[in-house]
Amino acid sequence: MESADLDVTDVTSPDEFDVDPPYDSERGTLPDHRFLDRELSWISFNERVLELAQDRSLPLLERVRFMAIFASNLDEFFMVRVAGLKRRIAAGVAVPTASGLHPKEVLKRSIAASQELQRSHADHLHEHLAGDLEAEGIELLRWDDLTPDEQELVSENYRARVFPVLTPLAVDPAHPFPYISGLSLNMAVVLRNPGTGKDHFARVKVPPIISRWMEVGPQRYLPLEDAMAAHLHLLFPGMEILAHHTFRVTRNEDLEVEEDDAENLLKALEQELLRRKFGPAVRLEVEPTIADEVLELLTSELGVQADEVVRLSGPLDLRSLNEIADIDRPELHFEAFVPGTHEHLAEVETASPADLFSALRKRDVLVHHPYDSFATSVQRFIEQAAADPKVLAIKMTLYRTSGDSPIIDSLIDAARAGKQVLVLVEIKARFDEQANIRWARKLERAGCHVVYGIVGLKTHCKLALVLRDEPDGLRRYAHIGTGNYNPKTARHYEDLGLLTSNPEITHDLTELFNNLSGFSQQTEYRTLLTAPARLRAGLVERIQREIAHHRAGRDAHIRIKVNSLVDEALIDALYEASIAGVRVDVVVRGICAIRPGVPGLSENIRAVSVLGRFLEHSRVYWFANGGEPEAWIGSADLMHRNLDRRVEVLVRVPTAGHTDRLGQLLAQSADDDTSNWRLTPDGEWERHVGSHDLHQSLIDDSRRRRSRAKG
């Protein structure tokens, strides 16, 4: 699943804690406690991920993948959200949230609920998943399960490849307790010196550079720490091994950067990335067999409280199940799907090279990834712009991209060819900061104009603008998307993108890029809604317009698709629409603070969540608009950070056919025939099994469209 994004702003502001301000509603007629808590809602989201891991109707290795995703999601929740709650409470800035809960209560409930899910997660591996894997010839073993020949083979491999990498760290008066890095897997070893009879403690880190699961036979796998435990005598010759226990620490990995100006931001962020490694511990995972005295030492040295310790049946750190999920057993995975070229771009593929610009002069193209290929649409758009001698300039925002990004390479080629290249690199993208710093410097060395955004705001929008010299004058082409310019995630993330040469849209984007790179104060655009200036107000105005349409007897309906819905002002606007009789459909992947189906408040609102093969990532806002529907797509979720502390962009989709298609997509997501989860008024998500899976239906539709285009 996609990583959450970090807000890095001036440390003197409340944004230091990524905390949503208390909501002071001016709508006194609406009831109190109408908002669900965002942290508890996120935990419910991860519970839905665990349900997928437990769903035996899914291919086996895909269930294993969901097990790994669940573990990774929860790690990030503790590193950022739990850490943030603890920091706000300690700093004395914790105030009741819109849900009415005090952060101390939220923290208590979050830890309890997440630990219960972790135990269910670990138990599912042992009680169900391991047996299902074994039935398919894939075995997850412990040391005592190995045959003598396998143990000998592991020993040889251990001595040759693992043992030289290990570094035992003793703890005694001459050796202080070592620093334990966040999310590392470690072994606590209790030793006795036979000569003195004195007991000692040592720590050995399980090396992350070696595969966690050692293949000891055909599809027979052993955790690396089991091999280490069986050979501790090699690390501590002459010592008696009394006990060994694996443990894992999660640390606060949020960032605090004082952002005086963009020029100093790069160095400040680099320094803070070094400090992040030493954040305070917020969770300690141990196996149930850990000795009391060892646990006491760990909690004392790491500074964790009793309620921050979770005992789990091993192996710990089930993110490593990704290695098992990668096993080459096609029959245990989803059926292979290779995205095809969008039918309106396939028309120009026969040209050499394929000319996307000619296709975009004819019509706008709305691409839907991963059903439409990213490589032959967005990536090709940038590559062609870089190679085309008629292109004079490329302007682009980069939030996240892949490690071997062809997008970056194309921008570098364009700059070296003499084109004007402006790249707004968001170096504060959470957990991608170091990679983005590297890209920023590489782009600068190639001659690109690199901008780090606007002080106090994170630039999250996904934009590309190309200026081309053509016989009838300068023409501009653009891409506005809902997802990152990342070819790898585009294969698994569901996203939308508009490729267009529409003069109104490209004019607005020209003005917007001037705003981002210069001193323009423009906030009003004809085809765009931008945050932080106008996006919230623009959406509220359109919601109110639907109310007016309904009261006038015209068609009124609101459909919204986001990753998260938290913003209280927009939720209240949706409540008012429901009270007025407007139907509201909300499709939300993760956090949802709205209460649907409450009599007198939200009986016209329904909220559903779609999880499955692809990660739902697009943001769509669709309004019936009295019979003349309009749709907006872009980067913005409905959260305070998106609407107040980021540069976000929504674009109105200019083509009626595309607008209708988006409305149908959202309707299909919430339809009774579609499998999804449905939110109840009390905040519970109930699974609904329909007659079809949304992702498979869209795969089938994509194949049919391409088949018709070829025919």
Side-chain angles (χ1 to χ4, degrees), residues 180-314:
I180 309 295
S181 56
L183 302 187
S184 64
L185 188 63
N186 303 273
M187 189 171 293
V189 185
V190 181
L191 311 152
R192 177 170 294 163
N193 186 330
T196 64
K198 187 175 181 180
D199 292 350
H200 299 273
F201 176 87
R203 172 257 190 166
V204 184
K205 182 176 179 178
V206 179
I209 59 173
I210 298 176
S211 295
R212 174 75 182 285
W213 293 91
M214 305 176 68
E215 189 167 15
V216 299
Q219 297 189 0
R220 287 168 58 82
Y221 298 91
L222 177 77
L224 178 58
E225 63 270 23
D226 276 28
M228 292 170 56
H231 297 85
L232 286 172
H233 60 281
L234 299 179
L235 280 176
F236 305 100
M239 300 290 285
E240 181 183 353
I241 311 298
L242 299 181
H244 55 81
H245 311 280
T246 55
F247 68 95
R248 184 171 180 260
V249 178
T250 308
R251 294 188 177 276
N252 179 348
E253 297 212 11
D254 217 335
L255 292 179
E256 302 175 58
V257 176
E258 186 164 356
E259 191 175 339
D260 294 323
D261 55 63
E263 181 180 355
N264 296 328
L265 177 60
L266 194 64
K267 291 183 179 179
L269 187 58
E270 287 181 311
Q271 293 171 356
E272 183 60 26
L273 285 169
L274 293 174
R275 288 195 294 270
R276 182 164 74 178
K277 297 180 180 180
F278 301 93
V282 295
R283 180 180 59 166
L284 174 63
E285 297 167 274
V286 298
E287 292 186 288
T289 55
I290 191 169
D292 290 342
E293 61 272 16
V294 175
L295 181 58
E296 183 179 350
L297 174 65
L298 292 176
T299 56
S300 173
E301 292 290 347
L302 295 169
V304 297
Q305 304 300 314
D307 65 348
E308 296 170 333
V309 178
V310 56
R311 295 174 180 262
L312 302 168
S313 52

Side-chain angles (χ1 to χ4, degrees), residues 81-91 107 281-282 305 308:
R81 299 307 307 176
V82 170
L85 279 169
K86 290 172 65 69
R87 189 151 54 97
R88 280 151 45 199
I89 293 168
L107 179 63
V282 295
Q305 304 300 314
E308 296 170 333

Side-chain angles (χ1 to χ4, degrees), residues 349-368:
E349 278 197 320
T350 55
S352 183
D355 184 7
L356 265 66
F357 296 134
S358 66
L360 299 183
R361 285 194 293 272
K362 296 178 184 177
R363 59 169 70 90
D364 297 327
V365 175
L366 183 70
V367 288
H368 192 191

Side-chain angles (χ1 to χ4, degrees), residues 559 622 657-671 694:
R559 294 187 175 114
W622 184 94
H658 293 157
T659 299
D660 291 342
R661 181 184 169 196
L662 291 172
Q664 293 165 7
L665 173 65
L666 270 60
Q668 184 180 2
S669 301
D671 191 83
L694 178 65

Side-chain angles (χ1 to χ4, degrees), residues 374-375 379 383 398 400-413 432 435-436 438-439 442-443 485-491:
F374 180 90
Q379 183 177 321
E383 290 173 342
L398 279 181
R400 302 184 198 273
T401 188
S402 58
D404 53 350
S405 173
I407 302 287
I408 296 287
D409 292 341
S410 293
L411 294 173
I412 289 173
D413 290 343
D432 279 342
N436 286 9
R438 288 196 299 271
W439 291 130
K442 186 175 182 180
L443 289 164
Y485 291 104
N486 189 326
K488 291 185 177 178
T489 58
R491 300 171 197 155

